[in-house]
Amino acid sequence: MSANQRMQQPREIRASVVVPAYNAERTIARAIESALAQTEQRCEILVIDDASSDATLAVASEYAERDARVRVLHNLVNRGPAGSRNRGLSAARGDWIALLDADDVFAPHRIETLLTQGELRKADIVADNLLLCPEENVSARQPMLSTRDLPAAKWLTTAAFIAGNIGSRWTPRVSFGFLQPVIRREFLQNHDLRYDEENRFGEDFMLYTACLLRGAQWWLMPEPMYH
């Protein structure tokens, strides 16, 4: 692709998609493409390569060369998920922060739907359900939260969020801490909130709890648009 054919960065950036990646050469292209294919095109995609030893950096860099919406940040040493996400937060320019793991994908309408609801509800955090997709059995895909657990969209309180992380042997993969919301960047900045880099497990839960304790308004929707 020639330089004049390269996709340009939108002047207004509605969402910054933060994608931490470590040894993800097999899945990173699919993740990036799902972010680029959003119906809301005013997005930037920040891929943070966490000192990968495979071709993750090379694959992501090829996308950045073709499309200015993709930026690649390379960690010289492995910082873990929290450190990589924090680097993405520092570089982000969008109104909203959208989180995407390197082995996951967005449904095409996800960002547009969540941002529309966020503005309509004047929310600080908006999340949808997760579609769990076992690699070994495609037909076994199912939403993390059933219609019984989440029959309709609702406000998520701090108490409900905490209770939603108490698992059982019957539902070991059901936890609100697994949700991947969009968060207003202004809210994070105003409250000086970042991921705790000393923890490499549960860092999402800790950040979401900190947001709620500081008054974040969280709107939760039942449609699984994060796969």
Side-chain angles (χ1 to χ4, degrees), residues 8 24 27 37 53 68 72 81 110 120 123-124 135 158 171 178 222 224 227:
Q8 298 298 309
T27 59
S53 59
V72 179
R110 182 176 190 263
L120 177 66
D124 303 298
E135 288 186 331
T158 305
T171 57
F178 293 151
H227 303 171

Side-chain angles (χ1 to χ4, degrees), residues 137-157:
N137 187 359
V138 175
S139 63
R141 294 182 177 186
Q142 62 178 353
M144 182 183 76
L145 300 173
S146 68
T147 53
R148 181 187 63 185
D149 298 323
L150 186 62
K154 66 176 183 179
W155 291 106
L156 186 61
T157 65

Side-chain angles (χ1 to χ4, degrees), residues 116-176:
T116 297
Q117 286 297 308
E119 299 297 348
L120 177 66
R121 306 285 176 177
K122 293 180 170 50
D124 303 298
I125 304 175
V126 187
D128 52 341
N129 203 347
L130 301 180
L131 186 67
L132 302 178
C133 307
E135 288 186 331
E136 67 280 0
N137 187 359
V138 175
S139 63
R141 294 182 177 186
Q142 62 178 353
M144 182 183 76
L145 300 173
S146 68
T147 53
R148 181 187 63 185
D149 298 323
L150 186 62
K154 66 176 183 179
W155 291 106
L156 186 61
T157 65
T158 305
F161 173 74
I162 298 297
N165 287 277
I166 301 173
S168 71
R169 62 180 178 176
W170 298 282
T171 57
R173 292 289 296 165
V174 176
S175 174
F176 285 175

Side-chain angles (χ1 to χ4, degrees), residues 5 15 58 89 130 145 165 176 185 192 216 218 223:
Q5 291 176 304
L89 293 182
L130 301 180
L145 300 173
N165 287 277
F176 285 175
R185 186 163 65 94
D192 194 25
W218 186 330
E223 182 183 358

Side-chain angles (χ1 to χ4, degrees), residues 20 23 27 38 51 55-56 66 94 99 101 104 109 112 116 122 130 134 137 144-145 147 168 170 194 206 217:
N23 288 351
T27 59
Q38 291 298 295
T56 299
R66 297 199 301 264
L99 307 169
D101 287 342
D104 296 336
H109 61 295
E112 180 178 14
T116 297
K122 293 180 170 50
L130 301 180
N137 187 359
M144 182 183 76
L145 300 173
T147 53
S168 71
W170 298 282
R194 290 291 186 269
M206 296 173 69
Q217 300 296 302

